[in-house]
Amino acid sequence: MNDIGEFTLLVALATALYGCVAYVMSARGNRIDLYLSADKTPFIVWACIAISSICLWKAFLTDDFSLQYVWAYSNRELDTFYKVSSFWGGQKGSLLFWTLLLSTYMLVVYFQNRSKNLRVVPYAMAIMLAILVFFLFLINFSTNPFERIPLPPEDGRGLNPLLQNYWMVIHPPTLYLGYVGFTVPFAFAVAALISKNLDDGWIRMTRKWTLISWFFLCMGNLFGASWAYVELGWGGYWAWDPVENAAFMPLLIATAFLHSVMIQEKKDMMKVWNMSLILLTFAMTIFGTFITRSGLIQSVHTFDEATLGYYFLAFLFVIIVACVALIISRLPLLKSANELDSFLSRESSFLFNNLVLLGIAFATFWGTIFPIISEAVRGVKITVGPPFYNQVNVPIGLALLALIGIGPVIAWRRATLSNLKKNFLKPLIAAIVAAVVLYPFIPLGSRTEIYTYTTFVLCVFVLASIGTEFYKGTVSRMGLHEESVVGALATVTWRNKRRYGGYIVHIGVVLIFAGIAGSQAYGTHTEKHLQPGESFEIRGYTIKYEKLIAVEATNIKTRIIAQLAVERDGRRYWTGHPEKEFYKGQNQPVSEVDVLSTWKEDLYMILADFREDESATIKVYVNPMVSWMWTGGWIIAFGTMISMWPDRLEQRRRLDRVRKQEQLFPAPAQE
Amino acid sequence: MKTLKVFAGLFVLVWVSMGQVSGAGAGALLQDLENQLMCKCDDKCGKVLINCTCATSDKTRAKFSKMLESGLTVEQIVKMQVDEYGETILSAPTKFGFNLTAWMTPFVALVAGGFGVRKVLQAWVGKKTGSGSEETPVAEPKISEKYSKRLKDELDGIEL
C-alpha cells in the first residue's frame, strides 16, 4: 500500500504539471485537442492524491510503523479517533492533507465551471494546478510522508498529548478548508488578469467560494480559540501567537475584500483594489504556512521538523512579484469610472472599513515580523506578545466596531443630513442610554476597563442600528402585505438573503466583541492549596475540594482527577472534575480543565498540582461572558448560511440589470 | 427653571459618583508582572508568563510573589529580569529607541492610509460633481416640495 501511495503522488505531480501546461497552451493557441486532454487532469490528480491519502490513513489505522511519519505521530494505544487525525498532526501529513483539500476544491470548481466561461476557466484551472505542483513537489522530494524506516520499531512514539483532544479532529481541517479555499478566488482573479476578462465575472463566479472560505477561516479561528481554552489550561483563548496571527490576518483581509467587492458589483469601481485584496489574502495564507513550517519565528504551533521555510518564502516571492507585474500590466484595463456622489455615503464607509481592517492586519503582521526586524537591525531578538497586540489593535478594533454600526444605516450614493438624522437617531439614543445605564455598574479604573465600557456602548449602538434595519424592512413589508411580524421578518430576510444574512453575521461579530471585552476586563482567578474537605470562595461560589481520584485509563495514560463541589447560596450547584493526564514517555502532564459555562460567566477549574497526601493545588478562574463568543460564532455560521443560500430573485434581478445594460449599450454589430 | 437645574445638577453628581474605580491589589501587581514577562522554561514554550502552565512558570510566580511581598516594585523586578535574561524576557517591545518603531508604525500607517482614502474619496466625488458642471444645464421640472421630499426619502432608502 505504501508503494502505491508513494507512486500515486509522483503520478499526481506529473499529471498536474502536464495539466497546467496543457491548459495554458490550449487557451493561448485555441487548441481544442489540448483543452480536451487537459480537461481530464483535474480528476486524475484528485484521484491520485485521494489514493495516496487513503494509503497513509490505512498505515495509521493498521499501525504500520515502517513509515517514519506513522511512527512519529501514532502508537498502538492511540484511540482510532486520533489515529485518523494524526494524519495532519505533523508537517508531512499536513501538507498532504492541504493538497488533498486543494485538489478536492479544484475538482468541484472543474465540475461547476467546465462548460462556462472558456476564456477564464482554463487559466483558473492552470493556476490551481500550478499551486498543486508546488505542494506535490515538496511532498515528493522534500517531505515525503511515505519515507520508510529500514528496521520498523514495535511501537510508535505517539501523538503529542496536547493534540489528543476532539478539537484536533475539527480545528485543523476547518482552518485548512479556509486557507485552501482562498486559492479558488485567487486563481480566478489571476485568470481574469491573464485573459483580460476584467469585468465582475470572476467575482460572481467565486463569490460563494470566498464566502465559504471566509466562513471556514472564521470558524477555524474560533475553534482554535475554543481548543486553547479547554486544553492549554491558562484560562484564556487567544495568545497572539505568530501562527494564530497568521490565521487571523487573511481573515481580516478577506473581510475587507468581501465588503469592497460589493462596490465593484454595484458601481463597477475599485477593480485594482479588489484584485490586490484577493491576491494579498492568498499571499497571507502562504505566509501562514511559511511561519508554521520555517521555524524562523518562535511559536507553540510550529512543527517539530520545520524545514520548508525557504521553499515557501521563494513561492511567496514568486506569487507576489508575478501578481504585482500582472496587475501593473493590466492597469489600463482595470481603470473604472470611480465616481462618487458624496463623501458621506455607504461607499465611503466601506472604504474606511477596508482601511481599518487592513490597519489591524498590518499591525498584526508588523508585530509578527518585528522580532526578525529587530534582530536584523540591532542584533537583539525581542518578543512581541499580547500586551503589544492588545494596546495597538484594541483601539483600531473599536473603530471597526463603530463602522459596523454606521455601515447599515448610512445610505448608498449620498447620505443627506435628513437621512443621517433619521437613520442614526435611534441607534445613537440607544448608545447614550446604554452609556448612562452601564456607567454606575462598570469600573473605569484602568485603560482595559475604559475600553471595555466603550465596547459595550458601541455594541449596543451596532445592535440598535442592525435592529433598526430589520424593523424598517419588517414594517414596510407588513404595510404592503397582511403578514404577521414574524412572517414579515422572515420574508424580508429570505427575499434579501445577502443583505440580511450579512446583518446576522454582524450580530455574531458584536457578540464576539462583547465576549472578548467582558472576559478580558472583569475576569478574576485564585489559586489555593487544599486538603480534602477544605474550601474557598471566589465571586460568590464556594469551591470545596472533596477527593482525588486516580484512573488507569490505558496502558500509557493515567488520569488524576480532583473532585470539586461548587456551592452557591449554601446549596450544591455543580461538581467539577479537572484533571491531569500522564502519558508514558512524556515529561509534562497535560491539564484537562473543567468548565461550568453560563451566559453570565464561566467557572473554569484547573488541577494545578497534587501531592501524595492527597492535597491538591486548585486554580479557579471566573471568566465573564466567554460563552458570548462561542454563541457569536454560531450566529456567524447561521448568517453566512443565509447569505450563501441560492437566491433566484437575485439572479433574476441580475439578469434584468444585464438586459437593461444591453439595451442601453448594444453590442457592436458583427462585421 | 432654577429648581430643574438644581435637580439636574444633583442627578449628574450622583450619577458620576456612582461610577466605580477598581483598585490594584497584590494579586493585580503579580498579574501585571506576569503580563510583562515571558516564561523562561526549558521547553522554550514562547508563552507570556501569565499564559504558561508549566512547572517553571509556577516556580517563577512563587518567586515573584515573594519579591513583591519583600517590597520590590513591578518595575524593579522587570529591570532585574531584563538585566539577567536580556530584552527577550519582555513580552512586548520597550517604548524607546528603535523599539518605538514597533509601536508607532501601525498608527502611522493607519493615519497615512486615512489621508489616502480621504484624498481618493475627494477625487472621486470631485469627478462626479465636475462632470455634472460641464453639462448644459437642463431646466428642472417644477415638482412640489412634498413630492420632492418623498422622492428623496425613498431614494435614500433604496438598496441598489
Side-chain angles (χ1 to χ4, degrees):
Chain A
M1 266 311 250
N2 297 335
D3 290 332
I4 296 173
E6 205 168 4
F7 177 69
T8 47
L9 279 177
L10 272 172
V11 176
L13 174 62
T15 315
L17 200 57
Y18 168 75
C20 179
V21 175
Y23 266 126
V24 174
M25 284 176 68
S26 70
R28 288 179 74 91
N30 280 328
R31 286 189 49 190
I32 194 75
D33 56 330
L34 261 181
Y35 178 76
L36 289 173
S37 162
D39 220 25
K40 292 181 180 69
T41 55
F43 181 75
I44 297 170
V45 171
W46 173 81
C48 287
I49 295 168
I51 291 169
S52 181
S53 304
I54 290 166
C55 292
L56 189 61
W57 258 310
K58 187 178 176 286
F60 270 108
L61 293 170
T62 56
D63 297 324
D64 182 356
F65 300 116
S66 66
L67 291 188
Q68 190 273 340
Y69 185 67
V70 177
W71 168 82
Y73 292 96
S74 181
N75 58 19
R76 292 185 190 282
E77 290 292 330
L78 192 67
D79 202 279
T80 309
F81 190 63
Y82 296 122
K83 279 181 181 169
V84 173
S85 65
S86 292
F87 187 104
W88 51 81
Q91 177 168 276
K92 294 173 178 176
S94 74
L95 277 183
L96 181 57
F97 187 59
W98 182 294
T99 313
L100 176 68
L101 291 181
L102 181 52
S103 62
T104 310
Y105 273 141
M106 181 183 67
L107 193 71
V108 179
V109 171
Y110 164 73
F111 282 121
Q112 261 186 345
N113 298 296
R114 61 180 175 168
S115 56
K116 293 179 192 165
N117 201 336
L118 286 180
R119 291 173 68 190
V120 175
V121 174
Y123 284 114
M125 298 305 293
I127 301 294
M128 280 188 271
L129 283 166
I131 294 164
L132 268 172
V133 165
F134 168 73
F135 279 94
L136 284 166
F137 177 82
L138 288 183
I139 294 171
N140 274 293
F141 302 115
S142 181
T143 178
N144 193 332
F146 292 99
E147 189 187 328
R148 311 294 204 287
I149 299 176
L151 282 171
E154 266 301 295
D155 204 352
R157 203 168 57 180
L159 186 67
N160 181 342
L162 283 174
L163 302 181
Q164 294 182 37
N165 183 289
Y166 62 95
W167 282 115
M168 176 63 184
V169 184
I170 305 166
H171 164 64
T174 315
L175 204 58
Y176 279 26
L177 280 167
Y179 269 143
V180 179
F182 282 114
T183 310
V184 180
F186 167 78
F188 273 87
V190 176
L193 284 170
I194 296 172
S195 64
K196 300 179 185 175
N197 276 260
L198 293 164
D199 55 6
D200 64 351
W202 71 273
I203 289 177
R204 275 189 281 109
M205 282 171 109
T206 58
R207 194 179 84 81
K208 288 203 172 148
W209 284 101
T210 314
L211 260 180
I212 288 171
S213 312
W214 179 88
F215 165 72
F216 279 123
L217 200 55
C218 184
M219 295 312 278
N221 273 285
L222 276 171
F223 289 160
S226 190
W227 185 5
Y229 188 59
V230 298
E231 188 64 33
L232 296 181
W234 52 275
Y237 40 81
W238 191 266
W240 293 106
D241 177 83
V243 174
E244 290 173 355
N245 295 348
F248 185 50
M249 287 182 282
L251 179 70
L252 292 165
I253 302 167
T255 310
F257 174 72
L258 277 173
H259 285 85
S260 66
V261 286
M262 279 190 246
I263 301 179
Q264 184 170 343
E265 283 177 275
K266 283 179 193 297
K267 306 202 77 173
D268 200 31
M269 287 165 62
M270 299 174 71
K271 286 180 179 174
V272 180
W273 182 244
N274 287 328
M275 276 287 173
S276 312
L277 281 183
I278 197 63
L279 303 180
L280 194 59
T281 305
F282 180 72
M284 276 297 159
T285 64
I286 299 298
F287 179 71
T289 54
F290 160 70
I291 286 184
T292 334
R293 291 171 176 85
S294 67
L296 198 65
I297 298 171
Q298 197 181 24
S299 160
V300 284
H301 293 79
T302 308
F303 288 114
D304 295 342
E305 63 288 64
T307 52
L308 299 177
Y310 290 111
Y311 292 105
F312 278 98
L313 203 59
F315 185 52
L316 199 57
F317 179 76
V318 170
I319 288 171
I320 291 170
V321 170
C323 291
V324 170
L326 253 178
I327 291 179
I328 291 171
S329 69
R330 299 289 187 262
L331 271 180
L333 296 170
L334 286 166
K335 262 190 185 165
S336 42
N338 286 345
E339 286 179 355
L340 272 187
D341 291 79
S342 164
F343 198 87
L344 272 177
S345 59
R346 194 177 294 187
E347 289 90 333
S348 314
S349 84
F350 274 19
L351 274 187
F352 282 105
N353 137 310
N354 268 228
L355 172 72
V356 171
L357 282 164
L358 289 189
I360 300 173
F362 175 73
T364 310
F365 175 76
W366 183 247
T368 308
I369 62 158
F370 195 77
I372 303 172
I373 296 174
S374 169
E375 198 173 13
V377 176
R378 293 169 61 213
V380 180
K381 193 161 188 170
I382 61 154
T383 314
V384 180
F388 170 84
Y389 296 103
N390 292 338
Q391 281 187 49
V392 174
N393 279 346
V394 170
I396 313 175
L398 287 177
L400 178 67
L401 185 58
L403 282 169
I404 297 175
I406 292 167
V409 286
I410 196 162
W412 285 103
R413 294 170 57 236
R414 180 191 293 273
T416 58
L417 197 64
S418 66
N419 161 275
L420 284 175
K421 239 194 259 173
K422 198 172 75 184
N423 291 346
F424 277 94
L425 194 63
K426 284 172 195 160
L428 270 178
I429 290 173
I432 292 165
V433 169
V436 173
V437 170
L438 287 174
Y439 178 75
F441 302 104
I442 290 184
L444 292 167
S446 65
R447 186 162 45 188
T448 312
E449 287 167 349
I450 293 167
Y451 280 150
T452 304
Y453 176 71
T454 316
T455 308
F456 287 154
V457 172
L458 284 174
C459 284
V460 172
F461 170 69
V462 178
L463 287 179
S465 80
I466 297 170
T468 309
E469 283 300 291
F470 275 103
Y471 174 78
K472 270 177 7 192
T474 308
V475 167
S476 64
R477 174 91 200 162
M478 284 166 71
L480 291 168
H481 305 85
E482 284 183 8
E483 284 181 15
S484 65
V485 177
V486 179
L489 181 66
T491 316
V492 159
T493 308
W494 199 243
R495 289 174 74 91
N496 298 278
K497 294 183 193 75
R498 205 171 155 187
R499 178 179 169 194
Y500 287 97
Y503 290 160
I504 294 170
V505 170
H506 284 179
I507 294 173
V509 175
V510 167
L511 287 190
I512 292 175
F513 264 98
I516 293 170
S519 59
Q520 291 293 308
Y522 308 120
T524 184
H525 70 271
T526 189
E527 188 176 315
K528 298 279 178 195
H529 188 77
L530 305 167
Q531 294 290 340
E534 286 183 333
S535 60
F536 64 95
E537 295 219 347
I538 182 168
R539 285 254 172 103
Y541 296 100
T542 305
I543 315 291
K544 188 177 173 188
Y545 169 48
E546 292 187 331
K547 60 180 175 182
L548 205 62
I549 308 158
V551 179
E552 288 280 337
T554 62
N555 287 340
I556 56 156
K557 183 166 94 174
T558 306
R559 296 166 64 196
I560 305 292
I561 307 163
Q563 185 170 304
L564 301 166
V566 178
E567 293 172 3
R568 198 145 203 197
D569 304 324
R571 281 192 304 130
R572 195 183 184 102
Y573 185 64
W574 183 62
T575 306
H577 292 103
E579 60 183 78
K580 272 206 182 301
E581 290 179 348
F582 291 84
Y583 290 81
K584 261 184 199 163
Q586 298 286 340
N587 297 330
Q588 293 270 357
V590 177
S591 286
E592 290 291 333
V593 304
D594 207 357
V595 186
L596 170 66
S597 189
T598 63
W599 257 87
K600 190 182 164 206
E601 61 202 8
D602 279 11
L603 186 66
Y604 183 99
M605 299 171 154
I606 307 158
L607 170 61
D609 197 11
F610 61 91
R611 290 181 193 159
E612 280 184 4
D613 64 352
E614 290 204 14
S615 65
T617 305
I618 306 295
K619 203 168 184 178
V620 177
Y621 287 81
V622 177
N623 295 329
M625 298 172 73
V626 172
S627 61
W628 289 46
M629 286 192 303
W630 318 137
T631 312
W634 293 118
I635 292 175
I636 287 176
F638 178 61
T640 315
M641 201 179 72
I642 290 180
S643 287
M644 281 195 304
W645 206 267
D647 193 341
R648 277 188 212 152
L649 268 176
E650 196 186 317
Q651 284 165 7
R652 212 178 296 158
R653 278 199 293 262
R654 192 184 297 138
L655 273 176
D656 285 345
R657 262 209 306 270
V658 171
R659 268 191 218 120
K660 273 180 196 165
Q661 276 174 3
E662 279 170 358
Q663 282 166 6
L664 283 172
F665 308 104
Q670 297 282 321
E671 284 181 17
Chain B
M1 193 66 187
K2 200 178 170 186
T3 326
L4 198 70
K5 276 183 184 168
V6 171
F7 271 117
L10 273 174
F11 173 77
V12 170
L13 201 68
V14 171
W15 182 69
V16 169
S17 64
M18 280 166 83
Q20 297 179 27
V21 175
S22 60
L29 288 177
L30 180 62
Q31 209 169 318
D32 184 22
L33 193 56
E34 286 181 66
N35 252 322
Q36 290 191 41
L37 299 168
M38 301 298 291
C39 177
K40 287 302 286 181
C41 60
D42 297 334
D43 290 347
K44 291 185 177 173
C45 64
K47 290 181 193 161
V48 180
L49 188 58
I50 199 164
N51 298 348
C52 195
T53 53
C54 68
T56 312
S57 70
D58 289 337
K59 281 180 199 158
T60 315
R61 267 182 218 111
K63 190 175 95 180
F64 286 160
S65 290
K66 280 183 190 160
M67 289 167 98
L68 285 169
E69 280 165 20
S70 74
L72 285 170
T73 64
V74 171
E75 289 73 27
Q76 283 169 326
I77 299 171
V78 169
K79 193 176 175 308
M80 285 163 69
Q81 292 293 305
V82 172
D83 291 343
E84 192 175 346
Y85 298 104
E87 252 182 77
T88 187
I89 191 77
L90 296 173
S91 64
T94 52
K95 287 178 181 168
F96 53 83
F98 177 74
N99 285 346
L100 197 58
T101 55
W103 296 94
M104 297 295 289
T105 310
F107 292 107
V108 170
L110 198 67
V111 171
F115 278 115
V117 169
R118 191 166 164 260
K119 203 158 187 182
V120 164
L121 282 172
Q122 276 173 340
W124 289 356
V125 174
K127 233 191 243 181
K128 180 89 177 179
T129 49
S131 65
S133 62
E134 283 165 20
E135 287 166 10
T136 326
V138 179
E140 283 186 27
K142 281 183 184 172
I143 307 170
S144 78
E145 200 170 319
K146 182 185 155 197
Y147 289 115
S148 163
K149 190 177 177 303
R150 191 171 155 189
L151 178 68
K152 203 170 107 208
D153 283 352
E154 283 179 7
L155 277 173
D156 284 347
I158 277 179
E159 283 292 322
L160 287 176

